[in-house]
Amino acid sequence: AQKITQTQPGMFVQEKEAVTLDCTYDTSDQSYGLFWYKQPSSGEMIFLIYQGSYDEQNATEGRYSLNFQKARKSANLVISASQLGDSAMYFCAMTQVPLYSTLTFGKGTMLLVSP
Amino acid sequence: GAGVSQTPSNKVTEKGKYVELRCDPISGHTALYWYRQSLGQGPEFLIYFQGTGAADDSGLPNDRFFAVRPEGSVSTLKIQRTERGDSAVYLCASSLGRDEQFFGPGTRLTVL
């Protein structure tokens, strides 16, 4: 079974600063994928970034980067230069690979960006 | 439309009633997923379709829940004898095989 733990219920950051959202995971699978999704108040889940367990480089997508530490089983999301529009719920999730991509989600972290 | 759509956006029903929630995936996406998101929680997997067949329904909580995808496109999640505990946001996602999942806006179900 796979498990995702997000220990930060809420985070506050000032505009233009960087913020790290924590995620740890537990799995017995050798191959897996790690995801971060953003859920604004509208409710839709928006894909941000993906990291495969065998990827040697940390994933980056624009202002988002994933700090992947396999030995620690952590996959923290780093958002650089926060913007007011980044205020939302953020979910860490994982899948089995190469099987189908059913996602197991954490409980989420609410990020609030202040001016 | 270009994205996943779900109807209705909101559904209020009374305990014991039957409800149907609809999902229109992105055209051409072969995989379709249903998740349920309770207040303050992350989404939880319910069922996964590959084409017309349910490849994995292990997340359905009990036999009151059923989903179909008869032509491999639109899917309907059906809940019989609704209970107050069924109140949640039901999310649908689709993907092209094993790629990134694209989510719809969800249906907020309230059982009174």
Side-chain angles (χ1 to χ4, degrees):
Chain A
Q2 300 179 327
K3 185 178 179 181
I4 295 283
T5 302
Q6 295 180 254
T7 57
Q8 306 156 314
M11 289 286 286
F12 295 89
V13 67
Q14 277 202 313
E15 201 176 4
K16 300 180 184 176
E17 293 188 348
V19 63
T20 298
L21 305 183
D22 294 341
C23 172
T24 58
Y25 61 90
D26 192 18
T27 180
S28 56
D29 298 316
Q30 293 300 308
S31 298
Y32 49 89
L34 294 156
F35 297 76
W36 277 91
Y37 281 84
K38 173 184 178 181
Q39 188 177 43
S41 56
S42 60
E44 193 162 345
M45 301 289 283
I46 301 168
F47 166 77
L48 295 178
I49 196 167
Y50 168 79
Q51 177 87 41
S53 59
Y54 285 107
D55 293 340
E56 294 186 354
Q57 302 273 354
N58 283 347
T60 59
E61 290 285 349
R63 295 186 299 110
Y64 305 108
S65 60
L66 199 152
N67 184 1
F68 181 47
Q69 297 190 41
K70 196 170 182 178
R72 294 186 176 184
K73 293 190 174 180
S74 73
N76 298 339
L77 177 70
V78 180
I79 305 175
S80 63
S82 298
Q83 301 173 355
L84 296 179
D86 293 335
S87 294
M89 281 292 289
Y90 288 80
F91 290 95
C92 181
M94 72 183 305
T95 70
Q96 294 175 304
V97 173
L99 299 178
Y100 59 83
S101 308
T102 297
L103 291 162
T104 299
F105 287 87
K107 290 189 174 183
T109 296
M110 172 63 81
L111 175 66
L112 291 177
V113 181
S114 60
Chain B
V4 178
S5 62
Q6 292 185 246
T7 54
S9 55
N10 280 284
K11 176 70 177 179
V12 180
T13 191
E14 294 180 342
K15 179 183 173 186
K17 299 288 189 182
Y18 168 83
V19 297
E20 290 189 351
L21 312 179
R22 177 187 166 108
C23 172
D24 278 271
I26 293 172
S27 178
H29 279 194
T30 55
L32 186 145
Y33 308 80
W34 283 99
Y35 294 86
R36 178 168 72 173
Q37 187 175 19
S38 301
L39 193 63
Q41 303 293 320
E44 294 179 315
F45 166 72
L46 294 176
I47 187 169
Y48 154 69
F49 288 90
Q50 185 61 257
T52 59
D56 185 350
D57 63 358
S58 62
L60 295 177
N62 52 60
D63 61 7
R64 296 186 298 106
F65 288 76
F66 188 71
V68 295
R69 195 185 184 200
E71 297 178 357
S73 178
V74 171
S75 176
T76 305
L77 178 66
K78 309 181 181 194
I79 311 174
Q80 298 178 323
R81 304 183 304 281
T82 51
E83 300 177 357
R84 293 194 179 88
D86 299 335
S87 296
V89 175
Y90 290 80
L91 293 166
C92 176
S94 70
S95 72
L96 197 59
R98 298 171 186 154
D99 294 334
E100 168 199 342
Q101 293 181 33
F102 294 85
F103 282 80
T107 294
R108 181 176 298 279
L109 175 66
T110 303
V111 182
L112 301 177

